[in-house]
């Protein structure tokens, strides 16, 4: 017997909230990666790690906020805590691989496609691992074509995000890029969810274990959300990231302490006059 799937149990609340979290994680991640690139004196591994964790938490939070709105009308849904936590670890690690690749090797023809493919497939793995954490009195199946489409969207979204991370420097353009990232990640999620079909078991009350969505997901979401808020405080307290000092607009080889050439010439003339 086919189960009746409703992916929007709470209407537009969960899709909008999940999109906002994906955008927040993307925006913070992009700004942290930019911070590692515009200042050679910054602690690059730390900023890249913070950026990767922000993006990974944003993607994972987006997924499970959206899953709060997912239900099968004929059966309850529970979640395995270990697999749910593992999906968060996978999200952060695979995003980290991509971020460190482009952070140190740039968005060249060799590194960007590799980083995008690894990160995209990792994000998809996070999604399907999170789906595997579901416990319900039914078997969950997937349409092969739609799954393949979701993988392609994930790879394209990851590649575009990593390219933006090393190519987009301005504050406003980073925000715009994060909005596009949110659309791409949400599009991948709901495309993957369109592949789902549920075959109910014959018995009405099969023995399955796990935690309910509200008892597991809501408390578990608190950690990544708090992390994103703290990362936001770090980013917003850094004037180089928020206000900017034109660092990424300066010609190569000119440092922040070098004054503009006309002033340098007038100051030099003044010194010669005095001496």
């Amino acid at each position: 017997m086919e189960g009746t799937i409703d992916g929007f149990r709470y209407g537009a609340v969960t899709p909008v909230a999940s999109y906002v979290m994906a955008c927040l994680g993307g925006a913070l991640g992009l700004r942290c990666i930019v911070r590692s690139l515009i200042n050679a004196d910054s602690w690059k591994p730390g900023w890249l790690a913070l950026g990767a964790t922000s993006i990974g938490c944003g993607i994972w939070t987006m997924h499970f906020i959206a899953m709060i709105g997912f239900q099968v009308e004929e059966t309850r849904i529970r979640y395995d805590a270990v697999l749910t936590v593992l999906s968060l670890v996978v999200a952060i690690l695979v995003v980290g691989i991509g971020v460190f690749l482009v952070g140190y090797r740039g968005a060249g023809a060799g590194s960007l496609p590799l980083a995008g493919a690894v990160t995209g497939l990792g994000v998809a793995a996070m999604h399907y691992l999170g789906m595997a954490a579901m416990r319900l009195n039914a078997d969950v199946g997937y349409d092969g074509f739609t799954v393949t489409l979701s993988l392609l969207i994930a790879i394209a979204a990851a590649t575009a995000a990593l390219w933006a991370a090393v190519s987009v420097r301005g504050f406003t353009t980073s925000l715009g890029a994060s909005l596009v990232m949110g659309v791409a990640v949400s599009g991948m999620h709901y495309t993957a969810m369109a592949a789902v079909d549920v075959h109910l078991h014959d018995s009405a009350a099969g023995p399955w274990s796990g935690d309910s969505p509200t008892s597991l997901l809501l408390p578990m979401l608190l950690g990544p959300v708090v992390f994103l808020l703290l990362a936001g405080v770090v980013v917003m307290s850094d004037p180089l990231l928020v206000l900017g000092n034109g660092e990424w607009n300066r010609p190569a080889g000119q440092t922040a302490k070098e004054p503009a050439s006309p002033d340098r010439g007038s100051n030099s003339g003044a010194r010669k006059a005095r001496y």
Side-chain angles (χ1 to χ4, degrees), residues 220-235:
M220 192 172 289
L221 285 168
L222 185 62
V225 170
V226 170
F227 173 84
L228 289 175
L229 293 176
L230 293 176
V233 172
V234 173
V235 169

Side-chain angles (χ1 to χ4, degrees), residues 94 97-98 101 110-125 151-152 154-160 162:
V94 296
I97 292 173
L101 270 175
S111 58
L112 181 61
L114 175 62
V118 170
T119 304
L121 292 175
V123 170
L151 295 177
L152 294 176
I155 293 173
T159 303
L162 293 173

Side-chain angles (χ1 to χ4, degrees), residues 121-142:
L121 292 175
V123 170
M126 178 279 300
H127 173 90
Y128 289 106
L129 190 59
M131 295 296 292
M134 289 195 307
R135 298 290 180 263
L136 63 164
N137 193 38
D139 294 321
V140 179
Y142 297 93

Side-chain angles (χ1 to χ4, degrees), residues 21-22 24-30 33 48-64 84-97 99 119 122-123 126-127 161-162 181 185 221 224-225 227-228:
M21 294 309 299
L24 176 61
L28 293 175
L30 288 178
I33 297 168
L48 291 177
L50 181 59
T53 306
S54 298
I55 296 174
C57 284
I59 294 172
W60 184 88
T61 305
M62 177 270 149
H63 171 83
F64 280 102
T84 303
V85 174
L86 182 60
S87 67
L88 173 60
V89 175
V90 168
I92 294 174
L93 287 180
V94 296
V95 171
I97 292 173
V99 166
T119 304
V123 170
M126 178 279 300
H127 173 90
L162 293 173
M181 285 175 58
V185 171
L221 285 168
V225 170
F227 173 84
L228 289 175

Side-chain angles (χ1 to χ4, degrees), residues 8 20 67 108 113 196 208 216 220 224:
F8 304 95
V20 169
M67 290 307 296
V196 174
W208 78 95
L216 175 68
M220 192 172 289

Side-chain angles (χ1 to χ4, degrees), residues 28-262:
L28 293 175
L30 288 178
R31 298 312 293 161
C32 291
I33 297 168
V34 166
R35 183 63 171 81
S36 74
L37 298 174
I38 64 178
N39 190 342
D41 296 329
S42 64
W43 185 40
K44 191 170 187 174
W47 283 106
L48 291 177
L50 181 59
T53 306
S54 298
I55 296 174
C57 284
I59 294 172
W60 184 88
T61 305
M62 177 270 149
H63 171 83
F64 280 102
I65 288 179
M67 290 307 296
I68 291 176
F70 177 83
Q71 69 170 352
V72 180
E73 293 184 2
E74 294 83 1
T75 180
R76 293 176 298 168
I77 296 178
R78 297 179 180 275
Y79 285 88
D80 180 87
V82 174
L83 286 178
T84 303
V85 174
L86 182 60
S87 67
L88 173 60
V89 175
V90 168
I92 294 174
L93 287 180
V94 296
V95 171
I97 292 173
V99 166
F100 273 79
L101 270 175
V102 298
Y104 280 98
R105 300 181 62 180
S111 58
L112 181 61
L114 175 62
V118 170
T119 304
L121 292 175
V123 170
M126 178 279 300
H127 173 90
Y128 289 106
L129 190 59
M131 295 296 292
M134 289 195 307
R135 298 290 180 263
L136 63 164
N137 193 38
D139 294 321
V140 179
Y142 297 93
D143 174 70
F145 174 78
T146 313
V147 168
T148 302
L149 182 59
S150 71
L151 295 177
L152 294 176
I153 293 174
I155 293 173
T159 303
L162 293 173
W163 174 85
V166 296
S167 304
V168 175
R169 302 295 179 89
F171 183 74
T172 304
T173 49
S174 289
L175 290 180
S178 68
L179 297 178
V180 176
M181 285 175 58
V183 171
V185 171
S186 298
M188 177 268 162
H189 172 84
Y190 286 106
T191 300
M193 294 307 297
V196 174
D197 56 68
V198 175
H199 303 276
L200 298 171
H201 294 160
D202 294 333
S203 58
W208 78 95
S209 60
D211 298 300
S212 66
T214 53
S215 65
L216 175 68
L217 296 184
L218 289 180
M220 192 172 289
L221 285 168
L222 185 62
V225 170
V226 170
F227 173 84
L228 289 175
L229 293 176
L230 293 176
V233 172
V234 173
V235 169
M236 296 303 292
S237 63
D238 191 323
L240 188 60
L241 285 177
V242 179
L243 300 177
N245 62 353
E247 187 78 26
W248 47 82
N249 294 323
R250 290 193 177 91
Q254 182 176 333
T255 63
K257 295 181 180 180
E258 291 179 351
S261 55

